[in-house]
Amino acid sequence: MPSCEITGGYAIECRDSVGGVETIWLIENANLYDVDGTCLVTYTDGVVTALDKVTGKRFWKFEVPRATASATNSITSSQENGTFFYTHQVSFPINQRNATIRNIVTTLAKNRCTFVTKEGDGLYRMYGIQFGLTLDNTAGGSGTALADRNGYVLTFSSQEREDFLIVPALIAADLEVPGT
């Protein structure tokens, strides 16, 4: 039996899916690993079964305006080399440009982060568990018209060995609770 056996198909279901990202939580990727480099997040078949953090560390919540944030995942493969990897990308705005936000953006730019998103379909997804996403670019500015964004749009990405993970709501409820 081949090691990459296909075990199921796909049927079109009810059209009840909704797009968009409602809320984002992020943590420094290193705070999901112990001193020996062992991941504190356990998962099976793409679903998180337990999530711990380094003592005192937590996920930070970033609220996003409706219909402005996105999270994507894609596969890149090389037939010649027999390899493939996943690219994760999270993009979201911050609708302010003051000293506090400037400092937050600068700190995020210096880190590798793991993200959990609550998406429009009600599911929580974790991106960047192996290597963490890094800030690729920001677009910060005043806008031109009175109704334009005076703030930032942040775009993070990562190349990962595995795709996103589903985080059950019961586990996601404790993202902001510091590790013990």
Side-chain angles (χ1 to χ4, degrees):
M1 184 172 347
S3 63
C4 297
E5 181 179 356
I6 297 172
T7 61
Y10 172 75
I12 296 175
E13 297 180 11
C14 296
R15 293 189 307 173
D16 60 356
S17 187
V18 177
V21 172
E22 295 177 8
T23 309
I24 294 170
W25 291 265
L26 61 86
I27 190 172
E28 299 93 333
N29 181 263
N31 289 330
L32 296 176
Y33 288 83
D34 68 15
V35 294
D36 298 321
T38 302
C39 187
L40 300 172
V41 178
T42 56
Y43 50 94
T44 303
D45 296 327
V47 178
V48 173
T49 56
L51 189 156
D52 201 2
K53 301 154 255 194
V54 169
T55 301
K57 301 302 179 179
R58 58 176 276 201
F59 280 82
W60 294 96
K61 182 178 182 179
F62 282 70
E63 294 179 351
V64 294
R66 184 179 10 163
T68 61
S70 66
T72 62
N73 57 298
S74 60
I75 296 175
T76 301
S77 65
S78 169
Q79 185 174 357
E80 299 79 15
N81 296 326
T83 59
F84 77 97
F85 61 90
Y86 298 90
T87 299
H88 296 174
Q89 186 176 67
V90 176
S91 179
F92 64 96
I94 298 178
N95 288 337
Q96 290 184 339
R97 264 186 341 139
N98 56 41
T100 300
I101 299 303
R102 172 209 172 274
N103 295 339
I104 289 171
V105 170
T106 300
T107 300
L108 292 175
K110 295 177 182 180
N111 275 286
R112 292 182 308 122
C113 299
T114 297
F115 286 78
V116 173
T117 59
K118 181 180 182 192
E119 299 183 15
D121 59 5
L123 294 177
Y124 296 85
R125 291 178 175 85
M126 180 179 284
Y127 297 92
I129 188 64
Q130 285 95 25
F131 303 115
L133 288 86
T134 56
L135 183 62
D136 288 336
N137 62 63
T138 66
S142 65
T144 305
L146 291 176
D148 290 349
R149 174 176 290 117
N150 186 344
Y152 296 88
V153 175
L154 309 176
T155 302
F156 295 80
S157 70
S158 179
Q159 294 178 344
E160 300 282 323
R161 286 189 294 258
E162 297 185 38
D163 208 352
F164 66 84
L165 301 172
I166 296 294
V167 181
L170 189 63
I171 292 174
D174 288 334
L175 291 173
E176 295 178 60
V177 175
T180 57

